[in-house]
Every structure is written in C-alpha cells, then in structure tokens.
Amino acid sequence: MSGDRIPIDLKKAMVTKLAASKVESKEESKLDSLHYDVKMAIMTRVPAKSLMKFRCVSKMRCSFIRSQELVDSFFAVSSTQPRFMVSFCNGVFGKSEEKLTFLFSYQEGSSSSSLVPRLEMALPVGLGGSEAYCASLHGFICVSVDRGLIVCNPSTEQVLNLPKTTQFVGYDPIGRQHKALSVHFRHPSSSGPPHLLHKVLTLGGGGWRDIEGTPVPYIPVSVGVCINGVIYYGGYKYNNNDSENNKNPAVMCFHVRSEKISFIQAPSAVVLSGKDAIFIEYNGKLASIFVHPPDARSIPFDLWILEDAQKHEWSKQSCLFPSSAWESVSCRRMSFHGTNSAGEIIISTSVVSATKLQPFYIFYYNLRTNRVRRVRLRGIGDSEEFHRSYGFLNGYECLLRLAPHHLDSIAFLKNHHHHHV
C-alpha cells in the first residue's frame, strides 16, 4: 500500500453502540485495586474511545469513568493535545437517505507538512448549505446539517438533535454549560421592524424557555461564533422609529451565562455578506473577514477586529493572500476557520471535488509577513479509495467544514428530547 493511502474500515466507523464485555481480565481487576490517584493518572491517559469500552466492564468502572473528577482531569490532559476536527458530507445533491457526514480529526500544532487522520464518527445526515459551519465547544462539536443543528461528542459518540429553528450553540466556561439559542419571528409582517422571539435551552437539563429580547428590534443575518462565553452574530439594528430604511449594521452578543442580549455597532463590511458573513476568533477577540474580488496576483481581504466592545471600537487590517498559493485548489471559495496558537489565520477550501483526485491542504496566513504556508491533511479527496469508502455520489462536490482547537472530552450531556421550541 502506498504511503498516500489511508486504510479505512467504514463498518467500524458506523458502529455507535459498544458491545458489553462479559469477562473481566486479571489486568482489569488489578486496575480497580490500584490507589485512587494512581488509577486517575492512568485513566486520564487512556484514549477516550477505550475508556468508553471500559464502562461496560462493571458498574464500579462505569461510575468511575463517569465521575466529574475523571471528566475534568481527562479534559485537562487533552487540552495540551488540540486537534483539527473536519466534517464533510459525501454528496451535496444526493438523496437524503444516502447522505453521510463524517468527522475526522488531525493533530494540531505539528511541524509536519502533512497530517494523518483519525476517523471519529459518521452521522446519517448531510451537511447544511453554504452557510453550514462546524464549531468545537469544550469537547463537543456543533455542526449544521440539512435538518438543523447537531451537537455531538466524537469521543463518546453521544448525539443531540436540535430543532430546525435553533440558530446558535455556545458554552459558558464559568457555569460549565452548553446552551442553544433560537431566534425567530413572532409575528411576520411585510412592513416595519420585526418582532423576534428568543428561546434558550440548556443542553442536558430542562426544556426551552423564553428569555427577554432586546429593547430595540433587529434582524439576524449571519451564523455566529462563540468566544469566551459570548455568542456573536451579525445583523441590522433598527433605530427607535419604524422606518424600514432606518437600520444600522450591528453585532449581536448573546451572553451564554446571563442569557442577556446586547449590541455592538459594527462597520457595514462586517455584515454586508449577510448569511455568508465570516466571523472567527482572532487571538481571543471577535474578528470578521470581508473578501474582495481577486486580482492577478492576490486575493485581498480585510480583517476587522473588535478591539473594545464597550466603546464599539474596531480596527481594520488589509491582507493580500497570494494567488499563487491558491493555484493548487480547484475550489475558488475560501473558508476561514480562526487562528492557530501563533496567530496565523487558518484557511481552506469549502468543498472537495468528488471527481478529481488531489491533495487537500489547509493554509496558514501570517498577517505580519503576508506569507503563506500549507499543510496537507491526508485521507481527504486524495485517492480512489476515499471516494469508494465514503460513498461519493454521482460525482457531486463534497461540502467540508473545519473546527480548530478541538479537545477530547469524555463528558456526557443528560439526554432528553429537544424537539419542541
């Protein structure tokens, strides 16, 4: 087998239920007899999927693995080993029952020019449209699919389906809770400002509940990004009168802990692209990217950085991505995924060709030097085996989204029905 091929066993990837082990080995008995601190140190270094299998050995083992102390310790260890999480669908226009979304992960922070994948799980749904996104939130992945939003933990293979009216999911690092936000029109009308209904769901506890809206009406227009316990999403805020033309670009801030919504005045370029507006985290701050039409030598884009939310202050940096670096990519549309630990912007294509066999790259753009380096993610679109194994349909393009800084977690959210909003 050539070095470029990644062996794949799709049958194993599709297994979501773990078979119970009927016989406990002597080694497992020895593990249970170890001192608590020693056992904790060992278990935090065991791969997450192996821990999930250990749960089936005994009630005592299951209780230990589900304990909050081990969950926290495991997450602390994995925080030193961040990974890229890549989600892709096997067909944009295929029949819904044939669509699958796969989650791959790659080691982050490696100096290697190519990275080898780890197949995490497969979901029997397709990715959403052009505004689809994939985000990592404290060990859980939120991905937009054709039926709405799904929150899953690739390590435990727990999956929570959210109603189609759910637009955003965020994480409160203080209260240590994941919450979903639904924003939809209360009374749709053809004239005047809209009346919006805001509902919140704490994942793993309770049901949907109404929250107080905003003193001034607004229209949400973009997908969001969660940074340090705040979900940011773009829109237009109406002024105090009812004129349709009297609205200003703004960024809405949903504070996940307090469940309050506030506004930040924004440059028009931040929300000009509507549902295709690009929000990323840049060195712990909110940033928005506006891409200009390419010229002969470069692909220009502006990076708008929120410097001070209280004062509504933004800074702008003009960037030139060299066209020569993008020549190896068949898709012209760029996707921006945030930054790495060095502050470089992570860029990739948003689709993978189902007809061409070619390497898939992510690009790192350095704002200070305008230089670009690329890293190959092996196992995506680069072999006939890839197309066969993942059931690519009729040569259609494959949608792809990437979430950086994913950390493995063995946490479970209490599973309950989230369908009613």
Side-chain angles (χ1 to χ4, degrees):
M1 182 176 289
S2 70
D4 285 352
R5 292 185 180 178
I6 304 297
I8 296 163
D9 188 341
L10 187 56
K11 291 181 180 178
K12 288 185 179 178
M14 296 302 294
V15 174
T16 55
K17 292 185 177 179
L18 300 166
S21 175
K22 296 181 180 178
V23 180
E24 186 174 358
S25 69
K26 292 182 179 179
E27 287 76 13
E28 288 164 344
S29 298
K30 289 179 180 177
L31 181 62
D32 285 332
S33 66
L34 290 174
H35 189 276
Y36 184 85
D37 291 343
V38 176
K39 186 164 61 174
M40 182 70 69
I42 293 173
M43 297 296 256
T44 55
R45 285 158 178 79
V46 173
K49 291 189 183 293
S50 297
L51 284 179
M52 294 305 102
K53 294 177 181 177
F54 289 164
R55 287 184 309 145
C56 307
V57 172
S58 66
K59 287 185 178 181
M60 184 172 69
R61 181 72 55 81
C62 181
S63 177
F64 179 74
I65 292 173
R66 295 290 291 267
S67 70
Q68 192 61 50
E69 186 173 357
L70 181 60
V71 169
D72 293 343
S73 297
F74 186 92
F75 191 80
V77 171
S78 70
S79 65
T80 64
Q81 304 161 356
R83 302 182 69 83
F84 290 111
M85 189 64 66
V86 177
S87 62
F88 64 88
C89 177
N90 62 346
V92 178
F93 302 108
K95 297 177 182 178
S96 58
E97 64 270 18
E98 296 174 329
K99 289 185 180 180
L100 293 169
T101 292
F102 301 94
L103 296 180
F104 272 9
S105 72
Y106 296 80
Q107 182 182 350
E108 202 172 303
S110 171
S111 58
S112 173
S113 60
S114 68
L115 301 175
V116 176
R118 185 174 80 193
L119 179 57
E120 299 287 354
M121 66 186 302
L123 302 167
V125 290
L127 281 177
S130 61
E131 67 272 22
Y133 82 109
C134 178
S136 177
L137 299 167
H138 201 78
F140 286 78
I141 292 292
C142 179
V143 58
S144 50
V145 298
D146 48 19
R147 65 175 66 164
L149 288 181
I150 280 182
V151 175
C152 62
N153 184 336
S155 298
T156 65
E157 298 193 4
Q158 182 186 19
V159 178
L160 299 178
N161 295 293
L162 295 171
K164 210 159 190 176
T165 53
T166 310
Q167 284 95 341
F168 312 107
V169 175
Y171 179 74
D172 165 25
I174 299 175
R176 299 165 59 161
Q177 291 179 322
H178 292 80
K179 293 182 182 180
L181 174 65
S182 170
V183 182
H184 57 275
F185 294 106
R186 188 195 306 262
H187 301 297
S189 61
S190 58
S191 62
H195 296 279
L196 297 176
L197 186 64
H198 300 78
K199 287 180 175 288
V200 172
L201 173 74
T202 299
L203 303 189
W208 288 93
R209 57 191 180 277
D210 294 336
I211 62 166
E212 185 179 341
T214 55
V216 179
Y218 73 93
I219 301 176
V221 296
S222 76
V223 298
V225 60
C226 184
I227 304 172
N228 297 327
V230 180
I231 298 174
Y232 299 94
Y233 55 102
Y236 290 95
K237 180 182 72 167
Y238 285 84
N239 290 333
N240 291 326
N241 61 45
D242 289 341
S243 171
E244 174 69 22
N245 297 321
N246 196 21
K247 57 183 188 288
N248 299 314
V251 169
M252 269 54 73
C253 311
F254 173 70
H255 303 268
V256 181
R257 182 165 176 78
S258 66
E259 301 181 359
K260 302 293 184 184
I261 299 176
S262 60
F263 293 108
I264 298 172
Q265 296 173 12
S268 59
V270 169
V271 296
L272 191 61
S273 300
K275 64 181 178 61
D276 294 321
I278 302 167
F279 286 168
I280 65 170
E281 178 177 353
Y282 178 74
N283 292 340
K285 298 178 180 179
L286 170 68
S288 176
I289 292 174
F290 184 81
V291 183
H292 296 278
D295 55 38
R297 293 191 298 179
S298 65
I299 304 171
F301 64 90
D302 296 329
L303 179 72
W304 291 90
I305 304 169
L306 178 62
E307 301 291 356
D308 192 320
Q310 301 295 328
K311 298 179 180 178
H312 308 265
E313 290 180 352
W314 298 75
S315 65
K316 175 187 171 184
Q317 189 159 346
S318 296
C319 308
L320 296 173
F321 187 99
S323 299
S324 57
W326 201 249
E327 289 175 355
S328 60
V329 177
S330 58
C331 171
R332 306 319 301 167
R333 180 173 175 179
M334 298 172 122
S335 283
F336 297 81
H337 309 288
T339 58
N340 63 4
S341 57
E344 297 172 307
I345 298 178
I346 305 167
I347 304 171
S348 76
T349 175
S350 58
V351 298
V352 174
S353 172
T355 55
K356 296 180 182 178
L357 299 181
Q358 57 186 25
F360 180 83
Y361 296 101
I362 56 172
F363 299 85
Y364 294 97
Y365 177 81
N366 189 309
L367 273 78
R368 294 189 303 275
T369 64
N370 279 347
R371 290 185 178 179
V372 175
R373 63 185 180 92
R374 71 181 189 182
V375 174
R376 180 179 175 183
L377 300 188
R378 293 183 177 272
I380 297 180
D382 52 8
S383 69
E384 291 182 1
E385 182 185 6
F386 172 84
H387 290 173
R388 285 196 310 270
S389 298
Y390 293 106
F392 274 78
L393 309 171
N394 305 318
Y396 292 131
E397 288 182 324
C398 150
L399 283 175
L400 182 143
R401 298 294 179 264
L402 188 150
H405 315 314
H406 178 71
L407 304 177
D408 286 341
S409 169
I410 56 172
F412 280 84
L413 295 172
K414 183 181 177 183
N415 211 345
H416 58 279
H417 297 291
H418 302 311
H419 300 294
H420 302 292
V421 182

